[in-house]
Amino acid sequence: MYPYILKDFIEIEALLQVFANGWVDITIIHWFAALFYTMSNDGERCNPCAFFGPNSINGVMCQRNPEEVKGHILGVYELHMDKQYFLAPYLANNHWYLFIISPTKKEVFILDSLKGNKDINNYLLSEVIEDVFKGTKFTWSMVECKQQNGGWECRFMVLGYMMEFVYTYQEKFPTDIWQTTRVATQKDMDQLLRIIMPWFFVKMFPNWSYPFKLI
């Protein structure tokens, strides 16, 4: 997944927080990304995408140490130059976004559940990406994706965006793409949680059995 060995740990309390308090931290999102990535190597399905590490590209890193962020992006890109898409779950100012970057197609798509009237200039990561791929004229698109109602749903919605891309959109992307800015309801969030968490446990603990249906 990365051009270096990375050890990461999830405390059982963090997993319980997902169910008890609806809390997802950056480590859990990282593990979801890692599990989506391993699907490209286990024969489950064609998966022409790689992932940038959320801890290595977050807003604080982009502001304080952009050279390190550039090094991470370049290292992952050079390791996976056969991939068509690079997914970047990006945390900045306590809000989660998903960048989908295609160096081969020279396109970048931003999914922001608080999109409003934002453009690429609202994200520090955009500047870093353009600096890494100097000489590449990217077309940037703000995706018409489902929007959040409160101040906490973004972390779950990013997990949902990643799962939808891997399982639904990537094979025909961007012909097939999100096309709704409907505000997510509590029912939507409950349904998402019922999908993503059993999937997570099945992948993490293969001997654990639980029926679930993909989006």
Side-chain angles (χ1 to χ4, degrees), residues 9-141:
F9 303 92
I10 296 180
E11 296 181 353
I12 188 63
E13 290 83 359
L15 291 176
L16 295 176
Q17 288 291 329
V18 176
F19 295 100
N21 299 317
W23 181 258
V24 173
D25 68 10
I26 194 168
T27 303
I28 291 178
I29 290 179
H30 184 212
W31 277 44
F32 266 93
L35 289 172
F36 288 133
Y37 167 75
T38 60
M39 290 170 53
S40 65
N41 300 310
D42 64 9
E44 181 176 343
R45 64 189 290 114
C46 174
N47 187 20
C49 65
F51 291 80
F52 298 122
N55 285 295
S56 300
I57 62 168
N58 64 64
V60 173
M61 288 290 293
C62 288
Q63 185 176 30
R64 297 181 180 178
N65 199 346
E67 293 304 317
E68 187 171 336
V69 179
K70 294 174 191 176
H72 174 79
I73 292 174
L74 185 60
V76 173
Y77 170 68
E78 290 178 340
L79 182 66
H80 298 291
M81 294 186 70
D82 60 315
K83 301 293 187 182
Q84 293 184 36
Y85 303 107
F86 293 81
L87 273 61
Y90 173 58
L91 173 64
N93 300 319
N94 296 315
H95 183 63
W96 281 97
Y97 317 83
L98 182 66
F99 282 59
I100 302 173
I101 305 154
S102 177
T104 56
K105 295 182 178 181
K106 301 180 180 180
E107 294 179 301
V108 181
F109 301 84
I110 301 174
L111 287 86
D112 183 349
S113 57
L114 288 174
K115 183 169 73 71
N117 295 318
K118 295 177 186 175
D119 59 27
I120 68 169
N121 297 312
N122 291 98
Y123 311 94
L124 287 175
L125 184 60
S126 303
E127 182 179 342
V128 175
I129 290 170
E130 289 194 320
D131 207 15
V132 170
F133 297 97
K134 287 181 178 178
T136 299
K137 182 65 175 178
F138 282 112
T139 298
W140 293 78
S141 300

Side-chain angles (χ1 to χ4, degrees), residues 161-172:
Y161 296 153
M162 289 194 292
M163 175 171 274
E164 288 169 343
F165 181 82
V166 170
Y167 276 100
T168 303
Y169 293 118
Q170 69 171 329
E171 293 180 5
K172 296 182 180 180

